[in-house]
Each structure stands twice: as structure tokens, then as C-alpha cells.
Amino acid sequence: MDTLLTADVAANAPRFRRKSSTYVDAIHDLPAREELAPAQLYSTESGRLFHSGRIAIATVGLPARGKTHISVALARYLRWLGVKTRVFHLGDYRRENVGRGQSIPEDYFFVNASASSVLLRQKILKRCRDDIYHFLNHENGQIAIYDAVNPLAAGRRSLVKEFAKHDVEVSQAGEPGGLSLMKFKTLFIESACTDERIIEENYVGWSSEDAVKHYLSRMSAKIPHFETMEEPELNYIKMFNAGERLTINNCNFGYLSYRIVFYLLNLHIKSRQTYFVRAGTTSDEDSYKTDAGLSSQGRLYAEKMGQALLQHRDRERLALVDRGGPDIPLKPLRVWTSTRRRTIETAEWLYEQGYSVRQRTQLSQLNPGVCEKMSERRIRAEMPDEVAKHEADPYHHRYPRAESYHDLAVRLEPIILELERQQDDLLIIAHESVLRVLYGYLMACNATDIPGLSFPRNEIIEIMPASYNNESSSIPIPDLPAEIIPPSPEDLKIPVPPSEAPSGTATPMILGSPGIAPGSPKSSTPRKTATSPATGDSTPQDPGEGSLRLVGRALRD
């Protein structure tokens, strides 16, 4: 964050918006206004990308097969690319219609249900599908994901015909007044599971009695009448056993449909934990060009970080057993680092304990360009136009010969796909700028949120996948030297005139950023930090320096 940015500047920044959900990802929290997505390469007048019209995706599969997980994960990826996508969970409509604490009729899920149950089903279906049509026709939506069982072939054919009735006439670019028929394209995604272990993972954390009761009641209703996807005239993708095998039928929608197929080839529905942590402090000046090794404090940090993570994993396993879960060994832990010495050496202690460590060049930090080692005062004095552009859009702006966060997001796409493919627990040790982008993807942050995320060195961020969203929590790293932990400011005064702030060093990547909250990615407590020259990593700052992180306090108050 910028040490000279006042609360007034933050509140009036052109791209300022409210903070997204924290600790729970924002996949169901759509932006209040149109803006470029983190990895969006271009925009169009219609808002629809990749030369595609509107696509309705409908899930198919028995309960506990991962349909909701696939829907949410696919929506997260498409929105990351800039495709306006929304998920419509039929189960949510059912629970909302029936009411909290109320039970549905016993024959609700049966094909030969009573007239009253059939009427209730039709009422719920109509409301859900009306919302789909409104999103695609009146909210400029491009992809609607209909998350439901859709068990019968006749019902799926009927659904395609119903979607086809909701065509819309749109004006074509370059043909003033010309109209063309923009049809709905319907794609089915079936998740089929024959591996009982995958099904059981959907009930981890439930009491055994409740899980068995819930599973048996829904299976007994659906299995006798479920028909797998075999309709040759329909477009569908069938996933077997969490991505073990895929069958594709038709799906000739163009580039976007093939991006969906490519993403599903990398996706699985098995649960696993992802951890983010920063590298330790270095012995030399921390600049972009200097590939310095860890200092003695950095090596101490690496050992304590590794110990804290392993102890946390052991506690989590024991807690799961206490809740009635299976007493099985922990999943293997893999470690990814960049190719810079500080990240490699931070992983050395875990490597010595026998854990797999892999170096990835894409995990390198932002390139600061000509601004490396320049003080903030000098940057403002010599490049006022660049500073103004950066304050207006800190995510997409790049300083001369530098990278922007958008550039970094595009560079990290292979890492994101491999992260989705990873089935073991994963620890990523990287620069703070890299962690911001990866966290922004997994937690569905908007582009304006990402530059303001902060990862203090005394915390490990854990991201846990769930059906409807990802959730994150922090794991404290105890007994670290106080000088490597940014302290929290007290009794901040707003605003502090910029002229009173002494010159300091600041990274151009977060200079003037209207960030969301300068604490941990989900914390609302401001942290008083400065930034090392042109790297973006936060380091301790003297209590009298700068404007003491006014943005976070302004947003909090």
C-alpha cells in the first residue's frame, strides 16, 4: 500500500468499490458494476467474449457426485477470464421456497410423486429458470450454470427446447439497426462416480447417522430412475470419477466451449488444502535484481513456519477423527517455490523432512521496471502522470518496462490450471505479489481487490474447498522475531497531509493503490508497513513514517 495515500484519495478513487467477502470467497458476490476481470484480455461492446453468444450449462448426476463443486469452480474460472457467469443452484431455490427448518414432502424426489409435490417442484423450477432467463436476457449475462440433478433423458431434451424458446434479437456490430437471432446454446456436464471413496468425501464432517440418512433417502429416490447421458443429438461432457476420464459429445460452440473442456480436463472434485506463505527475510538488500539468500532470521522463520504448518495438519487430522471422520493418514504435502533463492531456501527445512519441493519459474515476482530502488517521493516527482494512472487503476497499470498485476495473472494461468489439477495438499512459498494473484483467483476477488491484499510473515493462509465456495483461515506462526512482523498501528489520525510524510521507498506495483484492507487477505485490521524497493514485499516501518496506512482505517471506519 502507498505510504502517502490519504483517506480522501482512497474514497474518491475512480475504481474504488466495496470490499468483497472475506474468509469466504466472493463467487456468489457479483460486482455492483461492470469492470475488467483479473485475467480478461479484452472487452467488447456487448460484454460477451470469445465470439460466443449465450450458453446455458446444466449439470447432470446423482447427489454427492460433485456437481455443485464443478459448477462453482467453472464459474470461478470463467469469471476470472472475464466471462459474465452466474450459478443457479436449484437446491437453494428449494430451501428458500420451503423455508428454514421446514421439511419437503417425503415423495418430493420421486418420479411418481403426489400432485402436490409435483406442483411444488414445478413452482421451484419455474422461479429458478425465470432467473436464468432474466440474467441472460436483461443482465447481459453470457453463461448461466443450472446446478440440478436433471436425471431423465426426456427432461433434458425438454430443457433444451425450453431454452431454445428464449432467443433474443440483438443488434450486430457494424450493421446499424441490423438484427440477428442469438440463440441459447445448451451444454450438459455430467459427473459420474463409481468410486465410493469420492462419494464419501462429500460427507466429511457430518455425523455418521445424519450422513447415512441423508444419502440413503436421496439415493433410493434417484437411482432407480436416473438415466446417464447418452443422447446423441445433445451437447454434453461426461466426467468419470472426478476427472479420471472425460467423454465429449458435440460441444462445437467455438473457442469458449473448448476452453470449458480444457478446464474440466484439469479439474477434480477431491478435497485438498492449499497453503500460502511468504518467503523469509534476506541477508542483503531486497531488490528485484539481487537474488539474495536468507538471513539468519529468515532461516529461523523457515523452520518455525514449517513446524507450525506440520503441527496444524496433525491437529486437523485428530479433530476430524474426533468428529467421527475416518482415521486415515494425511494427504501428501507438496511444496512449490519460485526459482529465487529466498523462496528455495525457505522450503529447505521441509525438504530436509522429506517433503517434495518443486521450483516454478512462473512464480517469480512482479518486474518493477525502471522504478527499481526509486523512492516514493522520487517516483511522484519524476513520473506524476504514471502515478496518476496507477492510482486510477493499480491492477492494470504498468510502470515503464515493468509488469502489472494483470500481466502477472496472465503469466500465472498455467500455474492456476496445475493448481486445479493438484490432488495432494499444496504449500506455495512465493513473493507477496504472486500470493495476491493466486489468492484472488481461488477466493474470486475482483481486480480492484487484489493489489491491496496483504500476507504478513507471521501467518500461513489456508484455503479449504467447499461445495458452494472456498473458505480461508490463518495459521499463526509463533515465536518469530518482532522486527520481521509488521506491527498494527494504533490511534490513527485521518487524514495526514502528504506534505508531512517523509520520503520512503515504495513499490510502483502498489503505489497509490486504493486497496481493500491492509491486513491479512481477510483481516480488517490495518497494518503499518512500508514496501521494499520495487518488490512489493511489506517490511516493518517506523511508527512515525508515512500516512500510517490510512486506506484501511478509512474503509474500516
Side-chain angles (χ1 to χ4, degrees), residues 19-26 439 443 472 516-517 521-524:
K19 184 174 68 174
S20 294
S21 304
T22 53
Y23 275 106
V24 177
D25 74 356
Y439 181 95
M443 301 303 288
S472 69
I516 60 171
K522 49 207 168 148
S523 171
S524 61

Side-chain angles (χ1 to χ4, degrees), residues 240-313:
F240 295 89
N241 292 331
E244 181 180 283
R245 180 164 59 93
L246 260 71
T247 298
I248 302 169
N249 189 67
N250 296 330
C251 301
N252 53 351
F253 298 162
Y255 181 74
L256 185 54
S257 64
Y258 290 112
R259 286 298 290 257
I260 293 172
V261 171
F262 178 62
Y263 176 76
L264 293 178
L265 285 169
N266 291 277
L267 183 67
H268 65 86
I269 58 176
K270 296 181 180 179
S271 63
R272 51 104 169 91
Q273 313 294 87
T274 303
Y275 307 96
F276 291 154
V277 71
R278 283 173 56 184
T281 54
T282 59
S283 54
D284 297 325
E285 182 183 12
D286 183 20
S287 70
Y288 180 78
K289 295 177 182 178
T290 302
D291 192 12
L294 293 182
S295 63
S296 57
Q297 286 184 341
R299 294 189 177 277
L300 176 64
Y301 162 83
E303 181 176 350
K304 289 187 175 296
M305 180 274 294
Q307 292 172 347
L309 177 60
L310 299 185
Q311 291 170 5
H312 170 78
R313 283 164 51 83

Side-chain angles (χ1 to χ4, degrees), residues 383-458:
M383 293 182 285
D385 293 341
E386 295 292 340
V387 171
K389 293 176 184 177
H390 191 89
E391 288 179 345
D393 188 357
Y395 184 84
H396 294 94
H397 174 261
R398 68 174 68 88
Y399 280 82
R401 301 180 186 175
E403 281 185 303
S404 67
Y405 276 99
H406 178 262
D407 297 329
L408 180 58
V410 173
R411 172 169 30 110
L412 286 173
E413 183 173 7
I415 293 291
I416 286 172
L417 291 172
E418 188 160 352
L419 191 153
E420 293 282 18
R421 191 163 60 246
Q422 185 65 234
Q423 298 190 15
D424 296 330
D425 290 348
L426 178 64
L427 169 66
I428 296 180
I429 303 173
H431 186 271
E432 193 172 26
S433 59
V434 174
L435 299 183
R436 286 173 184 144
V437 173
L438 294 178
Y439 181 95
Y441 169 75
L442 289 176
M443 301 303 288
C445 296
N446 292 316
T448 49
D449 297 340
I450 290 174
L453 298 174
S454 179
F455 295 80
R457 278 199 176 88
N458 62 336

